[in-house]
Amino acid sequence: MATAIGTAVVMCLRGTSRTSGRGGLVVSDSAAAVREFDRHERDRWKGRASAYEASVGALCAFTAPLVLDAAGVAAGWRVIDAGTGPGTLARLAAERGALVVALDGERGMLELARTHLASAVFCEAVLPRLPVRGGWADAAVANFVINHLGDPPAGMAEAVRVVRSGGKVAVTVWPSPPPALQRLWGEAFDAAGVTRPEGLPRVPEDRNFARTPRGVTDLLCGSGLRDVDCETITWSHRTDLESWWSGPAGGIGTLGVLMRGQPAETVAAIRREYQRLANGYLNSDGTLALPTAALLAVGTVP
Ligand SMILES: C[S@@+](CC[C@H](N)C(=O)[O-])C[C@H]1O[C@@H](n2cnc3c(N)ncnc32)[C@H](O)[C@@H]1O
C-alpha cells in the first residue's frame, strides 16, 4: 500500500529482513540472536494494546511532550513516531500542527492509536525497517522503543536515514540500575518465591548499549547524529494499586508473561506481596506515587 502525504510517499510494507547499521551487516550468531529477540518481542506485544495503555502506557505518556520539545517539533513539521503504541506522541505532535506518520510493529497498537487520532498516517512497520523515503521527516521520535529492538544501532541508523539534514532524532529508554517503580513488580515476584525464567532472548552484546547517559549518548553518536545530548528525567508516577497491577495482570512485560503461566495461588501470593510493597508509596488519598526515571536523548542529523 502506498500512502501520499503531501509530496512524500510512504510505502507501507510488511515484515522485515535486512539488518544493517553501525558496523554494517551483523555476523551470523549475533544475527540469529537479534532475530530471536525480535520474534520474542513481536509475540509479547501481540494483543496487549489495551493492557499496555491502561498501565505502562500512562507511565510512558509522561515523557511524550518532553521528547517532542527536545526534538523541537512545531507546526508544519513532518514527524515519524516509531513504535507509536497507543499514539500518545503522535497525538501531541498532531496537536502542535505537525504532519505525523505513526508506525508500530503491532497492529493492535495502531488500531488503538487510530481511535485517539484521526489526522495521522498509520502504518504497520517493524524496526529496523521504516517504510519511509530517506530524508523525508523533520524529526523521528521513539518513546521507549529502542529498548525493545534486537539491534538498537540498526534501529537508530534507520531513524537517522529517514530524517533530513539538520532534523532531529529523539528517543527515551529506561535507565539502569532501575528506579523504584521499575523494581516493584520484580520485588513482588521475588517475595512470592516465583523463579524467574532463564535463557530468555537477549540483545547480543555487540549490538547492545548501556542504559546510562553515556551508553545512550554513544548509541546516538554511533548512528551518526551530531550534538547529542542525553538527560535523566526523574518524576513520581501517579497511579493507583489496581491500575499498576493491571500491567502484569494483563500480560505486560516479561513478568506479565511469567504471571500468565502461574497457578491461581501463586498469582494471589504475588498480588499480596505487591500490595505490601506498594503500601510504601501510598498517599493518604489512596493513590500511588512511584519514583521513576528515564533517559531522554536527542541528536541532530548531519
Ligand atoms: C513501550 S511501548 C511504547 C509505545 C509508545 N511509544 C508510548 O510512548 O507509549 C513499545 C512499542 O514499540 C512497539 N515495538 C516494539 N518493537 C518494535 C519494532 N521492532 N518495530 C516497531 N515497533 C516496535 C511495540 O509494539 C509497542 O507499541
Side-chain angles (χ1 to χ4, degrees), residues 69-136:
D69 286 347
V73 171
W77 273 40
R78 295 168 170 181
V79 175
I80 295 188
D81 182 17
T84 192
T88 313
L89 275 81
R91 183 176 53 76
L92 292 176
E95 283 171 8
R96 293 183 182 204
L99 186 63
V100 182
V101 177
L103 305 124
D104 204 283
E106 164 56 21
R107 189 172 304 179
M109 289 289 188
L110 294 168
E111 284 164 5
L112 180 60
R114 264 196 202 99
T115 67
H116 298 314
L117 165 75
S119 62
V121 170
F122 297 94
C123 190
E124 194 176 336
V126 178
L127 277 161
R129 184 103 187 261
L130 294 175
V132 178
R133 179 163 58 74
W136 177 79

Short mmCIF file of all heavy atoms in Angstrom, two decimals, residues 69-136:
data_model
loop_
_atom_site.label_atom_id
_atom_site.label_comp_id
_atom_site.label_asym_id
_atom_site.label_seq_id
_atom_site.Cartn_x
_atom_site.Cartn_y
_atom_site.Cartn_z
N ASP A 69 9.47 18.29 22.70
CA ASP A 69 10.20 19.55 22.96
C ASP A 69 11.67 19.38 22.59
O ASP A 69 12.26 20.26 21.96
CB ASP A 69 10.12 19.92 24.45
CG ASP A 69 8.74 20.44 24.83
OD1 ASP A 69 7.94 20.74 23.92
OD2 ASP A 69 8.47 20.54 26.05
N ALA A 70 12.25 18.24 23.00
CA ALA A 70 13.68 18.02 22.73
C ALA A 70 13.95 18.02 21.23
O ALA A 70 14.97 18.52 20.76
CB ALA A 70 14.12 16.69 23.34
N ALA A 71 13.00 17.46 20.46
CA ALA A 71 13.17 17.40 19.00
C ALA A 71 12.75 18.72 18.34
O ALA A 71 12.96 18.90 17.15
CB ALA A 71 12.34 16.24 18.44
N GLY A 72 12.14 19.62 19.11
CA GLY A 72 11.71 20.92 18.57
C GLY A 72 10.53 20.82 17.63
O GLY A 72 10.37 21.64 16.72
N VAL A 73 9.67 19.82 17.84
CA VAL A 73 8.54 19.59 16.93
C VAL A 73 7.59 20.80 16.95
O VAL A 73 7.16 21.24 18.02
CB VAL A 73 7.78 18.30 17.32
CG1 VAL A 73 6.48 18.18 16.54
CG2 VAL A 73 8.69 17.09 17.08
N ALA A 74 7.30 21.32 15.77
CA ALA A 74 6.47 22.53 15.65
C ALA A 74 5.51 22.36 14.48
O ALA A 74 5.59 21.39 13.72
CB ALA A 74 7.38 23.73 15.43
N ALA A 75 4.61 23.32 14.35
CA ALA A 75 3.60 23.28 13.29
C ALA A 75 4.28 23.13 11.92
O ALA A 75 5.29 23.77 11.65
CB ALA A 75 2.77 24.56 13.32
N GLY A 76 3.71 22.25 11.11
CA GLY A 76 4.22 22.06 9.75
C GLY A 76 5.33 21.02 9.66
O GLY A 76 5.70 20.62 8.56
N TRP A 77 5.86 20.58 10.79
CA TRP A 77 6.94 19.58 10.75
C TRP A 77 6.39 18.22 10.34
O TRP A 77 5.26 17.87 10.68
CB TRP A 77 7.60 19.45 12.12
CG TRP A 77 8.72 20.42 12.33
CD1 TRP A 77 8.71 21.73 11.94
CD2 TRP A 77 9.96 20.18 12.99
NE1 TRP A 77 9.89 22.32 12.31
CE2 TRP A 77 10.67 21.40 12.95
CE3 TRP A 77 10.53 19.07 13.59
CZ2 TRP A 77 11.94 21.52 13.50
CZ3 TRP A 77 11.80 19.19 14.14
CH2 TRP A 77 12.50 20.41 14.09
N ARG A 78 7.22 17.47 9.64
CA ARG A 78 6.91 16.07 9.35
C ARG A 78 7.57 15.21 10.42
O ARG A 78 8.80 15.26 10.57
CB ARG A 78 7.47 15.69 7.98
CG ARG A 78 6.84 16.44 6.84
CD ARG A 78 7.68 16.19 5.61
NE ARG A 78 7.04 16.66 4.42
CZ ARG A 78 7.56 16.54 3.21
NH1 ARG A 78 8.74 15.95 3.05
NH2 ARG A 78 6.92 16.98 2.17
N VAL A 79 6.74 14.48 11.13
CA VAL A 79 7.26 13.73 12.28
C VAL A 79 6.95 12.25 12.13
O VAL A 79 5.82 11.87 11.80
CB VAL A 79 6.62 14.26 13.59
CG1 VAL A 79 7.05 13.43 14.78
CG2 VAL A 79 7.00 15.72 13.80
N ILE A 80 7.96 11.44 12.40
CA ILE A 80 7.77 9.99 12.43
C ILE A 80 7.77 9.54 13.87
O ILE A 80 8.75 9.79 14.60
CB ILE A 80 8.89 9.29 11.65
CG1 ILE A 80 8.74 9.71 10.20
CG2 ILE A 80 8.82 7.77 11.83
CD1 ILE A 80 9.57 9.04 9.24
N ASP A 81 6.68 8.91 14.29
CA ASP A 81 6.62 8.34 15.64
C ASP A 81 6.80 6.83 15.49
O ASP A 81 5.87 6.12 15.12
CB ASP A 81 5.28 8.70 16.30
CG ASP A 81 5.19 8.17 17.73
OD1 ASP A 81 6.24 7.83 18.31
OD2 ASP A 81 4.07 8.11 18.27
N ALA A 82 8.02 6.37 15.76
CA ALA A 82 8.34 4.95 15.57
C ALA A 82 8.00 4.19 16.85
O ALA A 82 8.45 4.57 17.93
CB ALA A 82 9.82 4.80 15.23
N GLY A 83 7.21 3.12 16.73
CA GLY A 83 6.74 2.39 17.91
C GLY A 83 5.73 3.25 18.63
O GLY A 83 5.83 3.49 19.83
N THR A 84 4.72 3.69 17.89
CA THR A 84 3.78 4.69 18.42
C THR A 84 2.93 4.16 19.57
O THR A 84 2.41 4.93 20.37
CB THR A 84 2.88 5.22 17.27
OG1 THR A 84 2.17 6.36 17.71
CG2 THR A 84 1.87 4.17 16.79
N GLY A 85 2.77 2.83 19.67
CA GLY A 85 1.91 2.28 20.72
C GLY A 85 0.51 2.85 20.60
O GLY A 85 -0.08 2.89 19.51
N PRO A 86 -0.07 3.34 21.71
CA PRO A 86 -1.41 3.91 21.63
C PRO A 86 -1.45 5.31 21.01
O PRO A 86 -2.50 5.96 21.01
CB PRO A 86 -1.86 3.96 23.10
CG PRO A 86 -0.65 3.77 23.92
CD PRO A 86 0.46 3.24 23.07
N GLY A 87 -0.30 5.77 20.51
CA GLY A 87 -0.29 7.01 19.73
C GLY A 87 -0.18 8.28 20.56
O GLY A 87 -0.53 9.37 20.08
N THR A 88 0.38 8.18 21.76
CA THR A 88 0.45 9.35 22.64
C THR A 88 1.26 10.49 22.02
O THR A 88 0.81 11.64 21.97
CB THR A 88 1.06 8.96 24.01
OG1 THR A 88 0.41 7.77 24.45
CG2 THR A 88 0.88 10.05 25.03
N LEU A 89 2.48 10.17 21.54
CA LEU A 89 3.32 11.22 20.95
C LEU A 89 2.72 11.70 19.64
O LEU A 89 2.76 12.90 19.33
CB LEU A 89 4.74 10.71 20.69
CG LEU A 89 5.71 10.79 21.85
CD1 LEU A 89 5.49 9.63 22.78
CD2 LEU A 89 7.14 10.83 21.37
N ALA A 90 2.18 10.76 18.89
CA ALA A 90 1.59 11.12 17.58
C ALA A 90 0.48 12.15 17.78
O ALA A 90 0.40 13.15 17.06
CB ALA A 90 1.06 9.86 16.90
N ARG A 91 -0.36 11.90 18.79
CA ARG A 91 -1.49 12.82 19.04
C ARG A 91 -0.96 14.20 19.46
O ARG A 91 -1.42 15.23 18.95
CB ARG A 91 -2.39 12.24 20.12
CG ARG A 91 -3.62 13.07 20.41
CD ARG A 91 -4.55 12.41 21.41
NE ARG A 91 -3.88 12.02 22.65
CZ ARG A 91 -3.53 12.85 23.63
NH1 ARG A 91 -3.78 14.16 23.50
NH2 ARG A 91 -2.93 12.42 24.72
N LEU A 92 0.02 14.22 20.37
CA LEU A 92 0.55 15.51 20.83
C LEU A 92 1.24 16.27 19.69
O LEU A 92 1.14 17.49 19.60
CB LEU A 92 1.54 15.29 21.98
CG LEU A 92 0.94 14.78 23.29
CD1 LEU A 92 2.05 14.52 24.31
CD2 LEU A 92 -0.06 15.78 23.86
N ALA A 93 1.95 15.52 18.84
CA ALA A 93 2.63 16.16 17.70
C ALA A 93 1.59 16.74 16.74
O ALA A 93 1.76 17.86 16.23
CB ALA A 93 3.52 15.16 16.98
N ALA A 94 0.50 16.00 16.51
CA ALA A 94 -0.56 16.49 15.62
C ALA A 94 -1.20 17.74 16.22
O ALA A 94 -1.53 18.70 15.50
CB ALA A 94 -1.60 15.40 15.38
N GLU A 95 -1.35 17.76 17.55
CA GLU A 95 -1.93 18.95 18.20
C GLU A 95 -1.03 20.17 18.05
O GLU A 95 -1.49 21.30 18.10
CB GLU A 95 -2.16 18.66 19.70
CG GLU A 95 -3.40 17.80 19.93
CD GLU A 95 -3.53 17.31 21.38
OE1 GLU A 95 -2.75 17.75 22.25
OE2 GLU A 95 -4.41 16.48 21.62
N ARG A 96 0.28 19.91 17.84
CA ARG A 96 1.21 21.03 17.59
C ARG A 96 1.18 21.47 16.13
O ARG A 96 1.94 22.35 15.72
CB ARG A 96 2.64 20.62 17.94
CG ARG A 96 2.86 20.39 19.41
CD ARG A 96 4.31 20.06 19.71
NE ARG A 96 4.49 19.79 21.13
CZ ARG A 96 5.63 19.90 21.79
NH1 ARG A 96 6.73 20.28 21.14
NH2 ARG A 96 5.71 19.64 23.07
N GLY A 97 0.38 20.78 15.32
CA GLY A 97 0.28 21.13 13.91
C GLY A 97 1.24 20.37 13.03
O GLY A 97 1.46 20.74 11.86
N ALA A 98 1.85 19.32 13.56
CA ALA A 98 2.78 18.52 12.76
C ALA A 98 2.02 17.52 11.89
O ALA A 98 0.89 17.15 12.19
CB ALA A 98 3.75 17.77 13.68
N LEU A 99 2.69 17.11 10.82
CA LEU A 99 2.17 16.07 9.94
C LEU A 99 2.81 14.76 10.42
O LEU A 99 4.03 14.62 10.39
CB LEU A 99 2.63 16.38 8.53
CG LEU A 99 2.12 15.55 7.37
CD1 LEU A 99 0.62 15.70 7.25
CD2 LEU A 99 2.79 16.03 6.08
N VAL A 100 1.99 13.83 10.89
CA VAL A 100 2.55 12.70 11.63
C VAL A 100 2.38 11.37 10.89
O VAL A 100 1.28 11.07 10.40
CB VAL A 100 1.88 12.57 13.02
CG1 VAL A 100 2.49 11.43 13.82
CG2 VAL A 100 2.01 13.88 13.79
N VAL A 101 3.46 10.61 10.85
CA VAL A 101 3.39 9.21 10.42
C VAL A 101 3.67 8.36 11.65
O VAL A 101 4.74 8.47 12.25
CB VAL A 101 4.41 8.91 9.31
CG1 VAL A 101 4.37 7.42 8.94
CG2 VAL A 101 4.13 9.75 8.08
N ALA A 102 2.67 7.57 12.05
CA ALA A 102 2.78 6.76 13.25
C ALA A 102 2.95 5.30 12.85
O ALA A 102 2.10 4.74 12.14
CB ALA A 102 1.53 6.93 14.12
N LEU A 103 4.07 4.70 13.29
CA LEU A 103 4.37 3.31 12.89
C LEU A 103 4.48 2.42 14.11
O LEU A 103 4.96 2.84 15.16
CB LEU A 103 5.69 3.29 12.13
CG LEU A 103 5.76 4.22 10.93
CD1 LEU A 103 6.94 5.15 11.05
CD2 LEU A 103 5.83 3.44 9.65
N ASP A 104 4.07 1.19 13.95
CA ASP A 104 4.25 0.21 15.03
C ASP A 104 4.28 -1.18 14.41
O ASP A 104 3.68 -1.43 13.36
CB ASP A 104 3.12 0.31 16.05
CG ASP A 104 3.55 -0.23 17.42
OD1 ASP A 104 3.60 -1.46 17.59
OD2 ASP A 104 3.85 0.59 18.31
N GLY A 105 4.97 -2.09 15.11
CA GLY A 105 5.03 -3.47 14.64
C GLY A 105 3.82 -4.28 15.05
O GLY A 105 3.64 -5.41 14.57
N GLU A 106 3.00 -3.74 15.95
CA GLU A 106 1.84 -4.46 16.45
C GLU A 106 0.55 -3.79 15.95
O GLU A 106 0.27 -2.64 16.29
CB GLU A 106 1.89 -4.49 18.00
CG GLU A 106 0.63 -4.87 18.72
CD GLU A 106 0.03 -6.22 18.30
OE1 GLU A 106 0.75 -7.07 17.75
OE2 GLU A 106 -1.18 -6.39 18.51
N ARG A 107 -0.19 -4.55 15.16
CA ARG A 107 -1.40 -3.98 14.53
C ARG A 107 -2.40 -3.47 15.56
O ARG A 107 -3.03 -2.44 15.38
CB ARG A 107 -2.04 -5.05 13.65
CG ARG A 107 -3.15 -4.52 12.79
CD ARG A 107 -3.62 -5.55 11.82
NE ARG A 107 -2.52 -6.05 11.01
CZ ARG A 107 -2.65 -6.99 10.08
NH1 ARG A 107 -3.82 -7.55 9.87
NH2 ARG A 107 -1.62 -7.40 9.37
N GLY A 108 -2.54 -4.21 16.68
CA GLY A 108 -3.49 -3.80 17.73
C GLY A 108 -3.17 -2.43 18.27
O GLY A 108 -4.08 -1.67 18.64
N MET A 109 -1.88 -2.10 18.36
CA MET A 109 -1.48 -0.77 18.84
C MET A 109 -1.95 0.30 17.85
O MET A 109 -2.46 1.35 18.25
CB MET A 109 0.05 -0.68 18.99
CG MET A 109 0.60 -1.48 20.13
SD MET A 109 0.18 -0.72 21.74
CE MET A 109 1.18 -1.75 22.82
N LEU A 110 -1.77 0.01 16.57
CA LEU A 110 -2.18 1.00 15.56
C LEU A 110 -3.68 1.21 15.57
O LEU A 110 -4.16 2.34 15.44
CB LEU A 110 -1.71 0.54 14.17
CG LEU A 110 -0.20 0.50 13.98
CD1 LEU A 110 0.16 -0.24 12.70
CD2 LEU A 110 0.39 1.91 13.96
N GLU A 111 -4.42 0.11 15.76
CA GLU A 111 -5.89 0.24 15.82
C GLU A 111 -6.30 1.09 17.01
O GLU A 111 -7.18 1.94 16.90
CB GLU A 111 -6.53 -1.15 15.89
CG GLU A 111 -6.50 -1.85 14.54
CD GLU A 111 -6.76 -3.35 14.63
OE1 GLU A 111 -7.06 -3.85 15.74
OE2 GLU A 111 -6.65 -4.02 13.58
N LEU A 112 -5.62 0.89 18.13
CA LEU A 112 -5.91 1.69 19.32
C LEU A 112 -5.54 3.15 19.08
O LEU A 112 -6.30 4.07 19.42
CB LEU A 112 -5.14 1.12 20.52
CG LEU A 112 -5.33 1.82 21.86
CD1 LEU A 112 -6.79 1.79 22.29
CD2 LEU A 112 -4.45 1.16 22.92
N ALA A 113 -4.34 3.38 18.51
CA ALA A 113 -3.88 4.75 18.26
C ALA A 113 -4.87 5.49 17.35
O ALA A 113 -5.16 6.68 17.57
CB ALA A 113 -2.49 4.72 17.63
N ARG A 114 -5.40 4.79 16.37
CA ARG A 114 -6.36 5.40 15.44
C ARG A 114 -7.59 5.93 16.16
O ARG A 114 -8.20 6.90 15.73
CB ARG A 114 -6.82 4.37 14.42
CG ARG A 114 -6.06 4.42 13.15
CD ARG A 114 -6.78 3.66 12.03
NE ARG A 114 -5.78 3.32 11.03
CZ ARG A 114 -5.21 2.12 10.93
NH1 ARG A 114 -5.55 1.16 11.75
NH2 ARG A 114 -4.30 1.91 10.02
N THR A 115 -7.98 5.26 17.26
CA THR A 115 -9.18 5.72 17.99
C THR A 115 -8.91 7.04 18.70
O THR A 115 -9.83 7.73 19.10
CB THR A 115 -9.66 4.68 19.04
OG1 THR A 115 -8.66 4.58 20.07
CG2 THR A 115 -9.90 3.32 18.42
N HIS A 116 -7.63 7.39 18.90
CA HIS A 116 -7.29 8.63 19.62
C HIS A 116 -6.98 9.78 18.66
O HIS A 116 -6.88 10.92 19.09
CB HIS A 116 -6.06 8.42 20.50
CG HIS A 116 -6.26 7.38 21.56
ND1 HIS A 116 -7.39 7.35 22.35
CD2 HIS A 116 -5.48 6.36 21.98
CE1 HIS A 116 -7.30 6.34 23.20
NE2 HIS A 116 -6.16 5.71 22.99
N LEU A 117 -6.75 9.45 17.42
CA LEU A 117 -6.21 10.45 16.50
C LEU A 117 -6.55 10.07 15.06
O LEU A 117 -6.15 9.00 14.61
CB LEU A 117 -4.67 10.48 16.68
CG LEU A 117 -3.82 11.16 15.66
CD1 LEU A 117 -3.96 12.68 15.83
CD2 LEU A 117 -2.37 10.77 15.87
N ALA A 118 -7.25 10.95 14.39
CA ALA A 118 -7.64 10.63 13.02
C ALA A 118 -6.63 11.18 12.02
O ALA A 118 -6.47 10.65 10.92
CB ALA A 118 -9.02 11.18 12.74
N SER A 119 -5.94 12.27 12.41
CA SER A 119 -5.20 13.03 11.42
C SER A 119 -3.75 12.60 11.24
O SER A 119 -2.89 13.43 10.99
CB SER A 119 -5.24 14.52 11.81
OG SER A 119 -4.61 14.66 13.06
N ALA A 120 -3.46 11.33 11.42
CA ALA A 120 -2.10 10.86 11.15
C ALA A 120 -2.17 9.73 10.14
O ALA A 120 -3.23 9.17 9.89
CB ALA A 120 -1.46 10.35 12.44
N VAL A 121 -1.01 9.42 9.56
CA VAL A 121 -0.92 8.22 8.72
C VAL A 121 -0.40 7.10 9.60
O VAL A 121 0.63 7.27 10.27
CB VAL A 121 0.03 8.46 7.54
CG1 VAL A 121 0.31 7.15 6.80
CG2 VAL A 121 -0.56 9.49 6.61
N PHE A 122 -1.12 6.00 9.66
CA PHE A 122 -0.72 4.87 10.49
C PHE A 122 -0.19 3.77 9.59
O PHE A 122 -0.77 3.51 8.52
CB PHE A 122 -1.91 4.35 11.29
CG PHE A 122 -2.44 5.36 12.26
CD1 PHE A 122 -3.49 6.19 11.92
CD2 PHE A 122 -1.87 5.51 13.52
CE1 PHE A 122 -3.97 7.14 12.80
CE2 PHE A 122 -2.34 6.45 14.41
CZ PHE A 122 -3.40 7.27 14.04
N CYS A 123 0.88 3.16 10.04
CA CYS A 123 1.48 2.14 9.19
C CYS A 123 2.11 1.04 10.03
O CYS A 123 2.86 1.32 10.96
CB CYS A 123 2.53 2.80 8.31
SG CYS A 123 3.14 1.72 7.04
N GLU A 124 1.79 -0.20 9.67
CA GLU A 124 2.42 -1.34 10.35
C GLU A 124 3.83 -1.48 9.80
O GLU A 124 4.02 -1.65 8.59
CB GLU A 124 1.59 -2.59 10.07
CG GLU A 124 1.93 -3.75 10.96
CD GLU A 124 1.02 -4.94 10.69
OE1 GLU A 124 -0.11 -4.75 10.19
OE2 GLU A 124 1.45 -6.06 10.97
N ALA A 125 4.81 -1.36 10.67
CA ALA A 125 6.21 -1.45 10.23
C ALA A 125 7.05 -1.90 11.39
O ALA A 125 6.83 -1.49 12.53
CB ALA A 125 6.69 -0.09 9.74
N VAL A 126 8.01 -2.75 11.10
CA VAL A 126 8.86 -3.31 12.15
C VAL A 126 10.27 -2.75 11.99
O VAL A 126 10.93 -2.98 10.98
CB VAL A 126 8.87 -4.85 12.08
CG1 VAL A 126 9.79 -5.43 13.15
CG2 VAL A 126 7.46 -5.41 12.25
N LEU A 127 10.71 -2.01 12.99
CA LEU A 127 12.10 -1.55 13.03
C LEU A 127 13.02 -2.76 13.07
O LEU A 127 12.67 -3.76 13.68
CB LEU A 127 12.33 -0.69 14.27
CG LEU A 127 11.92 0.78 14.17
CD1 LEU A 127 11.76 1.37 15.55
CD2 LEU A 127 12.92 1.57 13.35
N PRO A 128 14.17 -2.74 12.44
CA PRO A 128 14.86 -1.57 11.90
C PRO A 128 14.55 -1.25 10.44
O PRO A 128 15.44 -0.80 9.72
CB PRO A 128 16.33 -1.95 12.07
CG PRO A 128 16.35 -3.42 11.90
CD PRO A 128 15.04 -3.92 12.43
N ARG A 129 13.32 -1.41 10.03
CA ARG A 129 12.97 -1.04 8.66
C ARG A 129 11.79 -0.09 8.72
O ARG A 129 10.71 -0.48 9.19
CB ARG A 129 12.60 -2.30 7.88
CG ARG A 129 12.31 -2.08 6.44
CD ARG A 129 13.50 -2.53 5.58
NE ARG A 129 13.27 -2.14 4.18
CZ ARG A 129 12.83 -2.97 3.28
NH1 ARG A 129 12.55 -4.21 3.61
NH2 ARG A 129 12.66 -2.57 2.03
N LEU A 130 11.97 1.14 8.30
CA LEU A 130 10.86 2.10 8.25
C LEU A 130 10.53 2.36 6.79
O LEU A 130 11.42 2.73 6.01
CB LEU A 130 11.25 3.41 8.94
CG LEU A 130 11.48 3.34 10.45
CD1 LEU A 130 11.97 4.68 10.99
CD2 LEU A 130 10.21 2.92 11.18
N PRO A 131 9.27 2.16 6.40
CA PRO A 131 8.91 2.32 5.00
C PRO A 131 8.71 3.79 4.63
O PRO A 131 7.62 4.22 4.24
CB PRO A 131 7.59 1.54 4.91
CG PRO A 131 7.01 1.65 6.28
CD PRO A 131 8.14 1.72 7.24
N VAL A 132 9.74 4.54 4.79
CA VAL A 132 9.68 5.99 4.58
C VAL A 132 10.89 6.39 3.74
O VAL A 132 12.00 5.90 3.97
CB VAL A 132 9.72 6.74 5.94
CG1 VAL A 132 9.70 8.24 5.73
CG2 VAL A 132 8.56 6.31 6.83
N ARG A 133 10.66 7.29 2.80
CA ARG A 133 11.74 7.77 1.93
C ARG A 133 12.82 8.46 2.76
O ARG A 133 12.51 9.19 3.71
CB ARG A 133 11.14 8.73 0.90
CG ARG A 133 12.14 9.33 -0.07
CD ARG A 133 11.43 9.93 -1.28
NE ARG A 133 10.44 10.96 -0.96
CZ ARG A 133 10.74 12.20 -0.56
NH1 ARG A 133 11.99 12.55 -0.38
NH2 ARG A 133 9.77 13.07 -0.34
N GLY A 134 14.08 8.25 2.40
CA GLY A 134 15.21 8.86 3.11
C GLY A 134 15.08 10.38 3.14
O GLY A 134 14.77 11.00 2.13
N GLY A 135 15.32 10.96 4.32
CA GLY A 135 15.31 12.42 4.47
C GLY A 135 13.94 13.05 4.45
O GLY A 135 13.82 14.28 4.40
N TRP A 136 12.87 12.23 4.50
CA TRP A 136 11.51 12.78 4.39
C TRP A 136 11.11 13.60 5.61
O TRP A 136 10.49 14.65 5.50
CB TRP A 136 10.49 11.64 4.21
CG TRP A 136 9.08 12.15 4.17
CD1 TRP A 136 8.45 12.72 3.11
CD2 TRP A 136 8.14 12.17 5.26
NE1 TRP A 136 7.18 13.10 3.46
CE2 TRP A 136 6.96 12.76 4.76
CE3 TRP A 136 8.18 11.74 6.59
CZ2 TRP A 136 5.82 12.94 5.57
CZ3 TRP A 136 7.05 11.91 7.38
CH2 TRP A 136 5.88 12.52 6.86
#
